Amino acid sequence: MPHTPPPAAVLFDMDGTLVDTEQLWWQAAAELADELHHPLTDADAPEVLGQAIEHTAAHLHRVSGTSLPEAELATRLGDSFAGKVAAETVPRPGALALLASLRDARVPTALVSASPRRVVDLVLSTLGRDWFAVTLAAEDTPRTKPAPDPYLAAASLLGLDPAVCIAVEDTPTGVASATAAGCAVLAVPSTGTAIPAGSRVTLLDSLEHADLALLGKLSTSPRV
């Protein structure tokens, strides 16, 4: 059987993909929403899961009709989420094993997050900084997910064409960002939100089932 070469690079989302923080983010948003007398439902999920703090703050401001400024809502969301992450950061099943296999194979990796830098740094203090050649937070690009900017920046910093990089994501917002940048995507949903498969989007139920061979098969574009 012919050997499948590993991918040129793997670009990982953070929340819900590598660490089990997506529920913490939902909790932070739900607690603030309750204070604003707008209990979150499944209808709010697209405006919360995978979204930047400012996006969710604007959504809560809009749907609740509160007189509080969006900036104050964003600050409160950020403080609440950071506190929860500091208290509880748990790697997703299979995440550390996959990172270790990529390191052993000398495949460069990047962390590409829509969370603010202070939250990214909190997670890295537990997960480990040395896994990644590059880390990007919400403040590091002009636009964050679902815009392609974060994945374009990560590929550029690694000196690669995004088309030869594999992005690993867990939400429709993140998948939209990665595909818009031209990456092939391995989508491992962390919530009940559906992610449609596509020509360059492969669905998997857990990172425990991801390995170098699978990632190599997803990287079908010519390398540069």
Side-chain angles (χ1 to χ4, degrees):
M1 181 178 295
H3 172 69
T4 301
V10 182
L11 317 178
F12 287 95
D13 171 56
M14 186 180 78
D15 297 304
T17 299
L18 288 177
V19 288
D20 196 8
T21 51
E22 203 69 80
Q23 292 304 320
L24 301 180
W25 170 235
W26 181 267
Q27 289 171 22
E31 288 169 5
L32 180 57
D34 285 344
E35 291 184 36
L36 300 174
H37 307 293
H38 176 77
L40 292 187
T41 69
D42 289 346
D44 297 289
E47 309 300 330
V48 177
L49 298 176
Q51 297 289 358
I53 286 173
E54 291 76 13
H55 182 101
T56 299
H59 170 70
L60 292 180
H61 186 273
R62 182 172 61 254
V63 297
S64 70
T66 180
S67 61
L68 296 175
E70 285 184 26
E72 180 177 337
L73 298 182
T75 297
R76 292 178 63 181
L77 275 172
D79 289 346
S80 176
F81 183 44
K84 293 179 186 301
V85 170
E88 182 184 357
T89 298
V90 179
R92 296 283 293 168
L96 293 178
L98 182 57
L99 287 170
S101 68
L102 291 166
R103 180 179 61 189
D104 292 346
R106 301 185 181 277
V107 175
T109 60
L111 187 71
V112 185
S113 179
S115 285
R117 173 56 63 178
R118 64 171 172 163
V119 173
V120 170
D121 286 343
L122 282 171
V123 170
L124 289 175
S125 68
T126 299
L127 189 66
R129 299 176 183 275
D130 295 340
W131 295 116
F132 308 104
V134 169
T135 67
L136 287 165
E139 303 94 327
D140 295 329
T141 52
R143 300 175 298 171
T144 190
K145 302 173 187 179
D149 303 35
Y151 282 103
L152 292 173
S156 177
L157 288 169
L158 292 173
L160 294 168
D161 186 325
V164 303
C165 299
I166 305 299
V168 185
E169 274 284 354
D170 74 309
T171 65
T173 299
V175 170
S177 173
T179 54
C183 301
V185 182
L186 177 63
V188 186
S190 64
T191 68
T193 305
I195 297 176
S199 60
R200 301 206 76 199
V201 179
T202 300
L203 296 176
L204 201 64
D205 60 3
S206 172
L207 286 180
E208 293 174 293
H209 304 139
D211 56 22
L212 286 173
L214 173 62
L215 294 173
K217 289 176 183 177
L218 300 182
S219 183
T220 57
S221 299
R223 298 190 181 183
V224 295

